[in-house]
Amino acid sequence: QVQLVESGGGLVQAGGSLRLSCAASGRTFSIYGMGWFRQAPGKEREFVAAITRTIGRTLYADSVKGRFAISRDNAKNTVYLQLNSLKPEDTAVYYCAADSSTIGPKMDGSWGQGTQVTVSS
């Protein structure tokens, strides 16, 4: 009963930046953590980053550490993902996720519809 809507995807050149947003609505009081996954054609969905709603503890996949940054604005029920130094291998559909008990690869409570990120070389 949590709805998630992503925005901010687009086409950028390698080395460029992009900022994704995910707005949550519904039973937002039940959210423990929010985060991002991505899926490229022919690949499995992979965890990217997540943040807890209360303390703000963060977790990143090794492939994006130092390049991506996750943040949240609880007053707006929104989480952001800043993508810097983008590489062609970052090209994927990025999905927002929310969970009532954990952050990380096992999050599975709610999902957004996805937003496309394409990085050209």
Side-chain angles (χ1 to χ4, degrees):
Q1 296 182 3
V2 174
Q3 293 78 47
L4 305 172
V5 179
E6 304 100 328
S7 62
L11 174 64
V12 297
Q13 293 188 340
S17 298
L18 208 59
R19 191 192 197 201
L20 308 182
S21 298
C22 175
S25 60
R27 296 170 59 88
T28 56
F29 63 88
S30 68
I31 296 174
Y32 172 77
M34 293 180 64
W36 296 89
F37 290 70
R38 66 186 182 185
Q39 187 167 26
K43 303 291 185 179
E44 294 185 353
R45 185 173 298 190
E46 67 171 333
F47 171 74
V48 177
I51 186 168
T52 65
R53 180 176 59 86
T54 54
I55 298 176
R57 179 170 64 94
T58 59
L59 182 66
Y60 295 93
D62 289 342
S63 60
V64 305
K65 287 181 179 177
R67 298 191 298 122
F68 294 3
I70 191 168
S71 61
R72 90 279 200 227
D73 185 340
N74 287 343
K76 297 181 178 179
N77 291 317
T78 299
V79 65
Y80 305 94
L81 185 67
Q82 180 68 41
L83 298 79
N84 298 319
S85 301
L86 283 163
K87 306 174 181 179
E89 53 260 44
D90 294 319
T91 295
V93 177
Y94 283 69
Y95 296 92
C96 184
D99 196 273
S100 64
S101 63
T102 189
I103 60 171
K106 295 183 179 180
M107 298 175 66
D108 65 355
S110 299
W111 295 91
Q113 81 288 348
T115 185
Q116 177 72 47
V117 172
T118 302
V119 183
S120 62
S121 60

